[in-house]
Amino acid sequence: MPRTPLVVGNWKMHFDLDRATKAAIQLKNVLGDLKSSVDIAIAPPLPWLVPVEAAFGRTQRLELAAQDAVPGTEGNETGSVSMGMLRDHVRYVLIGHSERRLGKIDTHETINAKVKDALRRKITPIVCVGEFVHLYDRSRRRGRPTKLEAESNIFMQLRRALRGVKREEMSKVVVAYEPVWAIDTGTPAEPDYVEIMVATLRRAIAKLSSKRIAANTRILYGGSVNGKNAADYAARPGIDGALVGSASRDPKEFAKVVAAFASK
Ligand code: PGA
């Protein structure tokens, strides 16, 4: 079964309501009628999720992702928003983004609980994995982390995120490979490097589940992807899409990334 490319725009903590709505309308105008088989999702800041949903209207092309959510439906958890509350609004949820891992807002345990709860509620988890910051610091002294360091770090994250997830559910998980040193730095990881890491991630998924499931699992790349470099990643057979930060805040630029993967 071919893997449908997926391009996700993560607006992070940007945009006021007016700009969010305008960007949503622009995206709808540019991408709403796209016929090709590429899945597209936008992760707006939480308060703008419903207004963006309204701006997208009935378009089938544009879906929504949550930037985060906690397991459960209701509870005495001041400040939290649950998977259950978001279930009718989003198709995807980002889990374990490095900006949350690094601030220790998310741990391996909370990430694992979120993945399981999202699956239970039929929200597709997009599990972000990437080299931790101490490797990044080391990398500043002597280049990148070694392949071995990076791999063991990422596999540990993956293993712990998927702990207890049933084999047959694993193919519903999307994995985003996001090396921390490439996020919002304007220094994307080279496509060659990403291809190797994605292939090793796929082997790790096969070990946790099966070759067939790994072959069906979508693995995205994220880290300074933009309209100019997207085609270089889309050209690699193992890279199934992109998780886009900065460039997703410019609808035209984001549309270029989508177009690169649409012609995959
Ligand atoms: P960036 O962010 O595209 O701005 O590097 C990517 C991400 O944080 O997922």
Side-chain angles (χ1 to χ4, degrees), residues 30-259:
V30 185
L31 295 169
D33 294 329
L34 194 75
K35 289 286 178 286
S36 93
S37 60
V38 57
D39 291 339
I40 311 164
I42 292 293
L46 205 54
W48 316 146
L49 204 117
V50 172
V52 167
E53 183 183 32
F56 283 169
R58 286 165 180 271
T59 169
Q60 299 292 305
R61 297 303 312 157
L62 300 165
E63 304 198 86
L64 284 164
Q67 295 181 17
D68 180 56
V70 301
T73 309
E74 290 191 347
N76 296 334
E77 258 192 73
T78 304
S80 294
V81 174
S82 72
M83 298 276 177
M85 287 169 168
L86 294 178
R87 192 188 54 187
D88 292 338
H89 300 279
V90 302
R91 168 92 188 266
Y92 306 91
V93 57
L94 302 180
I95 299 179
H97 191 283
S98 60
E99 284 156 12
R100 299 181 60 84
R101 287 184 190 264
L102 295 175
K104 301 261 186 292
I105 309 169
D106 265 321
T107 63
H108 295 301
E109 287 70 31
T110 62
I111 289 166
N112 179 242
K114 288 174 183 186
V115 170
K116 287 198 262 197
D117 197 69
L119 286 169
R120 207 158 63 81
R121 293 171 200 279
K122 309 223 176 323
I123 302 174
T124 300
I126 301 177
V127 179
C128 305
V129 298
E131 293 91 318
F132 276 171
V133 81
H134 64 272
L135 295 180
Y136 176 47
D137 287 343
R138 241 193 273 180
S139 83
R140 279 200 271 222
R141 262 190 276 133
R142 56 173 179 84
R144 302 265 170 84
T146 64
K147 188 163 168 281
L148 213 68
E149 282 173 325
E151 282 179 11
S152 66
N153 212 254
I154 288 160
F155 296 160
M156 186 260 290
Q157 290 173 16
L158 190 71
R159 220 178 32 248
R160 295 191 65 174
L162 299 180
R163 189 172 277 174
V165 172
K166 293 196 193 80
R167 257 169 166 244
E168 61 273 20
E169 289 203 307
M170 283 207 195
S171 62
K172 296 180 191 138
V173 172
V174 174
V175 175
Y177 169 58
E178 297 212 304
V180 173
W181 43 265
I183 293 180
D184 200 23
T185 55
T187 317
E190 296 80 9
D192 280 350
Y193 180 84
V194 176
E195 197 172 31
I196 292 168
M197 295 308 284
V198 163
T200 32
L201 270 169
R202 206 175 295 286
R203 279 198 294 277
I205 297 166
K207 270 197 195 155
L208 294 171
S209 55
S210 70
K211 273 197 175 159
R212 183 185 55 81
I213 289 173
N216 288 334
T217 302
R218 292 190 282 189
I219 306 181
L220 319 181
Y221 166 65
S224 301
V225 175
N226 57 38
K228 280 202 193 79
N229 61 26
D232 298 339
Y233 299 104
R236 308 293 171 131
I239 305 175
D240 303 319
L243 179 50
V244 188
S246 319
S248 73
R249 300 202 296 274
D250 175 346
K252 282 195 188 134
E253 185 78 9
F254 184 69
K256 285 184 194 160
V257 179
V258 172

